[in-house]
Amino acid sequence: MLDVRKLAMLREVAFRGSIAGAARAMNYTRSAVFQQISALETAVGVPLLQRHGNTMQLTAAGADLVERTDRVLDELRAAEVSLAERRGQIQGVLRIGLPVRDTQATVGDALAAIHQRYPLLTIDLRALSPADAVRDLRRGLLDMALSACYEPGTSTAAGLRAFDLDQDAVCLVLRADHPLSSETSCELSVLADEPWVLGTRTSLGELVLARCRNAGFEPRVVASVDDLNTALRMVSSGWGVTLAPERTPQPPDSDLVRIPVSELSILRTSQLLVRSEDRFIPRIAVVVSAIQRANSARRAGQAGADVEQSVHR
């Protein structure tokens, strides 16, 4: 029978691109990792790694073996989580990066439930920009982070695992006294002469700029603001219009209207990010699961409310 520890080393070499990188990550010496991989290749009878320049890459046989190893390790880690829960060993500090002033209510609900169930688990919440949260997550300064993706098929940063939570549409946001505020929808080209409040350096802002150019105009950006909450406050103060996800919280004492833009079709997919190798650490796994369950419950409740509203129309 194949040795799981040797398989895990092979997987780590493939992920890190070198025996030295795998050795550092797993706290072994280079020679120990090399010997274990050599022993594994002897056991299976075929080469599993080959050198390409300065990196080690999997052969076809190695890639097949690592794919199966991932499934084996997932099952073993899931078993560890289950046993840790039974022993009451969900404890320690969990560092979570959250978008500045734009946190889903379901995340708060899930964390409150986690606190009740696992009182020995300390939750350390840190408000960060999406880019900083991903950076700190990859550096090991965070255990997980809430993020967002605006384009389907966008690949997750290397070494991270994304759990999709929910989606909401990006809408036009304007003051209630704006001439378009009574419309049920509008076309993007209608906004060609409007002043814009837009985060031109954000993924959403870059996507909006591209859509505007495709519609035949360059938006007149009067304020470049990366924070959505600040952008909404500026719109409320009369700076111009902006585009924001439907569930971005409304600033206090603001009088804003959101309407769909017919040909825009941009969805925000909220995601929970963790490092791939950490997703089955018990304290991380239970929180991921709790947030997923809370989000599913919220969606089911919203769907029920929508059905009830349609019945009474």
Side-chain angles (χ1 to χ4, degrees), residues 215-262:
F217 71 95
E218 185 74 24
R220 181 165 60 91
V221 178
V222 295
S224 182
V225 181
D226 292 345
D227 177 57
L228 282 173
N229 191 271
T230 301
L232 294 183
R233 288 203 303 273
M234 295 183 73
V235 171
S236 181
S237 298
W239 281 72
V241 303
T242 194
L243 291 169
E246 190 173 15
R247 285 196 293 274
T248 303
Q250 194 96 326
D253 303 321
S254 62
D255 192 12
L256 299 176
V257 173
R258 306 185 193 212
I259 62 175
V261 180
S262 55

Side-chain angles (χ1 to χ4, degrees), residues 90 104 125 131 221 224 306:
I90 305 299
Q104 290 188 7
L125 301 179
V221 178
S224 182
D306 291 344

Side-chain angles (χ1 to χ4, degrees), residues 110-138:
L111 295 180
I114 283 288
H115 177 66
Q116 292 293 322
R117 185 170 181 182
Y118 306 109
L120 298 180
L121 182 62
T122 300
I123 304 294
D124 179 5
L125 301 179
R126 306 181 184 186
L128 298 167
S129 70
D132 288 344
V134 170
R135 179 203 63 199
D136 286 357
L137 182 59
R138 297 184 71 179

Side-chain angles (χ1 to χ4, degrees), residues 24-300:
R24 286 193 298 270
M26 302 184 76
N27 201 25
Y28 285 98
T29 64
R30 286 185 60 182
S31 61
V33 174
F34 179 80
Q35 290 170 10
Q36 294 295 317
I37 297 298
S38 297
L40 180 60
E41 288 184 321
T42 299
V44 299
V46 292
L48 301 174
L49 290 168
Q50 55 190 358
R51 181 170 293 280
H52 282 267
N54 294 324
T55 64
M56 299 294 290
Q57 296 183 4
L58 294 168
T59 63
D64 179 64
L65 194 55
V66 166
E67 181 181 350
R68 296 172 189 273
T69 297
D70 281 339
R71 295 198 292 270
V72 170
L73 293 177
D74 281 354
E75 287 299 318
L76 289 175
R77 288 165 179 158
E80 290 177 348
V81 172
S82 178
L83 291 172
E85 282 195 274
R86 292 177 183 275
R87 293 192 300 263
Q89 292 181 337
I90 305 299
Q91 55 187 298
V93 178
L94 190 72
R95 303 158 299 174
I96 306 176
L98 299 175
V100 179
R101 294 188 295 274
D102 190 14
T103 302
Q104 290 188 7
T106 50
V107 173
D109 294 343
L111 295 180
I114 283 288
H115 177 66
Q116 292 293 322
R117 185 170 181 182
Y118 306 109
L120 298 180
L121 182 62
T122 300
I123 304 294
D124 179 5
L125 301 179
R126 306 181 184 186
L128 298 167
S129 70
D132 288 344
V134 170
R135 179 203 63 199
D136 286 357
L137 182 59
R138 297 184 71 179
R139 290 178 177 177
L141 302 177
L142 294 174
D143 298 301
M144 62 178 61
L146 195 68
S147 187
C149 173
Y150 290 95
E151 292 187 273
T154 302
S155 59
T156 307
L160 301 183
R161 171 72 178 271
F163 297 90
D164 289 350
L165 298 177
D166 209 351
Q167 288 186 325
D168 58 334
V170 172
C171 301
L172 173 67
V173 184
L174 34 74
R175 282 168 54 107
D177 59 1
H178 192 284
L180 292 173
S181 63
S182 60
E183 300 292 328
T184 56
S185 68
C186 75
E187 295 183 357
L188 193 58
S189 58
V190 172
L191 306 172
D193 295 326
E194 295 285 343
W196 285 76
V197 178
L198 194 63
T200 55
R201 296 176 295 275
T202 66
S203 56
L204 175 58
E206 291 173 354
L207 191 55
V208 170
L209 285 173
R211 296 293 175 86
C212 289
R213 289 162 183 160
N214 288 340
F217 71 95
E218 185 74 24
R220 181 165 60 91
V221 178
V222 295
S224 182
V225 181
D226 292 345
D227 177 57
L228 282 173
N229 191 271
T230 301
L232 294 183
R233 288 203 303 273
M234 295 183 73
V235 171
S236 181
S237 298
W239 281 72
V241 303
T242 194
L243 291 169
E246 190 173 15
R247 285 196 293 274
T248 303
Q250 194 96 326
D253 303 321
S254 62
D255 192 12
L256 299 176
V257 173
R258 306 185 193 212
I259 62 175
V261 180
S262 55
E263 76 272 33
L264 196 62
S265 300
I266 298 177
L267 291 176
R268 173 178 67 174
T269 301
S270 298
Q271 297 177 320
L272 192 63
L273 302 178
V274 301
R275 287 183 297 278
S276 297
E277 66 268 28
D278 290 350
R279 67 187 186 277
F280 282 107
I281 293 175
R283 69 179 186 279
I284 293 176
V286 295
V287 172
V288 170
S289 179
I291 292 175
Q292 288 179 311
R293 286 197 303 270
N295 197 69
S296 297
R298 190 206 62 79
R299 286 204 308 267

